[in-house]
């Protein structure tokens, strides 16, 4: 996994705080929330197929964890125009194809999100969530093996 630059990490932290702020009331009211978890952007790396060598302007793919769910997320480059809320995008990653939808965070910030798990009640800590996110990204970013072909 390629290391991100300082500005990229700062952008991810701002996105996580913005997501928390936008969804705070819904998270607080939900009976399915895991109170041991917060909102965090984990395991982000440049979206495959982009060759900008750590450029701040590239899309990043990783895991967005909240007290309610774990999602794949693609963070667009700064300044990229926000699509209509709910607009869809099918993205091919090494482990398969994933359907994302556009989700605004605030007037200037947005992301593409693909929900994967909506029950995180079994996670006992942020460390468990981090391990789950790492495992998820390893699977998503590793090419699928086709076992149907004979040698």
């Amino acid at each position: 996994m390629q290391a991100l630059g300082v500005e990229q990490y700062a952008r991810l932290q701002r996105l996580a705080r913005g997501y928390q702020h936008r969804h705070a009331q819904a998270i607080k009211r939900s009976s399915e929330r895991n109170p041991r978890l917060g909102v965090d952007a984990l395991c982000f790396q440049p979206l495959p197929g982009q060759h900008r060598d750590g450029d701040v302007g590239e899309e990043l793919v990783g895991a967005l964890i909240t007290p309610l769910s774990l999602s794949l997320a693609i963070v667009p480059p700064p300044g990229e125009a926000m699509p209509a809320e709910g607009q869809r995008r099918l993205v091919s990653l090494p482990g398969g194809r994933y359907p994302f939808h556009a989700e605004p965070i605030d007037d200037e910030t947005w992301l593409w999100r693909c929900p994967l798990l909506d029950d995180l009640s079994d996670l006992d800590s942020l460390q468990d969530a981090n391990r789950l996110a790492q495992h998820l990204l390893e699977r998503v970013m590793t090419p699928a093996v086709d076992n149907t072909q004979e040698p």
Side-chain angles (χ1 to χ4, degrees):
M1 188 176 344
Q2 180 181 339
L4 300 181
V6 173
E7 179 54 36
Q8 291 168 316
Y9 280 115
R11 183 168 48 134
L12 293 170
Q13 286 178 332
R14 288 189 303 270
L15 180 119
R17 282 193 311 266
Y19 192 96
Q20 170 68 40
H21 181 75
R22 179 178 176 95
H23 296 281
Q25 291 303 315
I27 291 170
K28 187 176 180 179
R29 286 191 305 263
S30 176
S31 62
E32 277 113 43
R33 81 178 185 285
N34 183 333
R36 296 174 296 274
L37 302 179
V39 175
D40 205 353
L42 302 168
C43 305
F44 275 80
Q45 59 188 287
L47 186 66
Q50 299 184 86
H51 301 287
R52 296 184 182 172
D53 291 329
D55 183 5
V56 173
E58 65 191 340
E59 288 183 296
L60 302 174
V61 62
L64 177 70
I65 192 144
T66 76
L68 299 175
S69 67
L70 176 65
S71 301
L72 277 177
I74 297 175
V75 178
E80 185 169 309
M82 188 181 311
E85 184 171 354
Q87 182 174 326
R88 304 226 176 259
R89 173 183 179 189
L90 190 60
V91 177
S92 292
L93 296 171
R97 294 170 57 110
Y98 297 88
F100 288 80
H101 66 272
E103 185 170 323
I105 304 299
D106 57 36
D107 291 341
E108 298 175 9
T109 310
W110 62 280
L111 56 78
W112 294 102
R113 193 167 74 86
C114 174
L116 296 177
L117 295 173
D118 61 0
D119 180 3
L120 303 181
S121 60
D122 289 343
L123 298 178
D124 292 325
S125 68
L126 234 38
Q127 291 79 15
D128 286 348
N130 195 356
R131 281 190 290 277
L132 180 61
Q134 287 173 348
H135 179 72
L136 164 80
L137 262 291
E138 284 175 16
R139 300 229 18 213
V140 167
M141 301 311 281
T142 301
V145 177
D146 184 0
N147 293 326
T148 61
Q149 297 178 357
E150 293 184 27

